[in-house]
Amino acid sequence: MEDTYKHKGLRKQLVLEIAKKGIKDKGVLNAINKIPRHYFFDKIFDQHAYEDKAFPIDAGQTISQPYTVAFQSQMLQVKPGDKILEIGTGSGYQACVLVEMGAKVYTIEYQKKLYQKAIRFLPKLGYQPHMYQGDGSKGMPRFAPYDGIIVTAGAPTVPEELIQQLKIGGRLVIPVGNNDIQSMVLIQKVDENKIKKKQFDHFSFVPLQGERGWPSNGGGK
Ligand code: SAM
């Protein structure tokens, strides 16, 4: 695949569009400007890569809307070297944005097919997040604590385990709601017993599966 002047131009326009919608974090905007989102699409659909829309990928899942990726990334307030856990690798695009921002990224995907694709594809683009396959709805305690946790699928409630796996001062960004529409919940861990919580409307994600997710009719294991 090629990253042509046309792709670069469309990407710049996308960055301007999401900046206009309220994204201010320079690290986020630079990452979106740099990563060729069309590489994450099948060639026949690559003209859709720079629309500010979610798009279907394999296994009935989606690559999130660029504005949503930017919004969640901005809420994490990533500093270079931060250890970030992503739950829901999907296409791997969000993980690449976080790596580009200087984070040390751990990412877990429920669907085997998507995991296998990401683990082959991301290193070819020069991105090396730590990738795992399995149910991430209870986090990944073996690498905790994290500076930030981002969940990229809609959860019925906030899993307590994710708060436990945050460092003091760490941030959790998770969409919570029903199967169609969710609020983005931002939780900051103030100390071992205290959290601060904010909520932003309205987002629409595919459902979180696994133990702390929605009951599924099949799975990725
Ligand atoms: N971050 C992704 C990207 O940049 O393409 C977007 C992913 S999509 C909106 C949500 C992903 O979460 C899907 O790939 C889905 O299979 C995954 N997922 C759902 N439940 C999960 C769970 N319990 N553990 C890990 N991944 C999960």
Side-chain angles (χ1 to χ4, degrees):
M1 263 204 190
E2 250 191 296
D3 192 22
T4 63
Y5 280 115
K6 189 174 172 204
H7 291 121
K8 287 181 179 134
L10 290 171
R11 204 148 67 234
K12 269 223 155 68
Q13 277 175 24
L14 174 65
V15 169
L16 291 175
E17 189 180 339
I18 60 177
K20 245 193 208 154
K21 290 179 181 172
I23 303 302
K24 295 191 170 62
D25 186 318
K26 290 246 161 24
V28 175
L29 296 172
N30 287 340
I32 289 179
N33 193 37
K34 183 154 180 209
I35 301 168
R37 189 170 183 258
H38 63 285
Y39 286 1
F40 296 77
F41 284 56
D42 285 340
K43 183 129 186 57
I44 49 165
F45 297 123
D46 85 345
Q47 74 275 18
H48 297 292
Y50 298 107
E51 293 167 7
D52 190 19
K53 288 183 183 151
F55 203 81
I57 54 174
D58 275 335
Q61 304 302 319
T62 55
I63 176 170
S64 300
Q65 181 184 348
Y67 172 75
T68 304
V69 171
F71 188 83
Q72 287 195 285
S73 305
Q74 177 166 276
M75 286 212 295
L76 282 174
Q77 295 188 355
V78 176
K79 294 182 297 307
D82 276 0
K83 198 205 291 185
I84 305 287
L85 170 65
E86 179 196 27
I87 297 159
T89 315
S91 68
Y93 178 75
Q94 169 78 74
C96 293
V97 168
L98 296 169
V99 171
E100 197 58 61
M101 291 171 72
K104 187 174 173 199
V105 179
Y106 291 79
T107 181
I108 179 163
E109 171 55 48
Y110 195 69
Q111 301 287 342
K112 205 173 201 161
K113 192 171 177 189
L114 294 176
Y115 161 77
Q116 284 170 340
K117 199 168 171 184
I119 204 158
R120 280 197 302 268
F121 173 59
L122 298 197
K124 286 189 191 155
L125 294 184
Y127 294 103
Q128 307 269 14
H130 302 273
M131 290 178 258
Y132 299 88
Q133 196 262 320
D135 176 11
S137 68
K138 290 164 77 182
M140 278 213 288
R142 66 191 140 137
F143 303 114
Y146 301 99
D147 296 287
I149 301 179
I150 170 172
V151 182
T152 69
T157 55
V158 177
E160 187 54 40
E161 293 86 348
L162 301 188
I163 298 173
Q164 282 162 11
Q165 289 167 40
L166 283 179
K167 289 184 189 170
I168 303 297
R171 297 171 151 246
L172 164 65
V173 182
I174 179 170
V176 180
N178 61 36
N179 258 325
D180 297 321
I181 196 147
Q182 303 94 31
S183 298
M184 194 67 77
V185 176
L186 168 65
I187 287 176
Q188 190 168 15
K189 187 165 174 173
V190 178
D191 61 36
E192 275 312 330
N193 306 307
K194 193 171 166 201
I195 58 164
K196 268 202 274 191
K197 192 171 164 182
K198 275 192 192 168
Q199 210 161 299
F200 306 82
D201 289 334
H202 288 287
F203 292 86
S204 184
F205 283 82
V206 293
L208 182 73
Q209 295 177 295
E211 247 188 277
R212 295 284 181 267
W214 298 92
S216 74
N217 41 10
K221 293 180 197 174

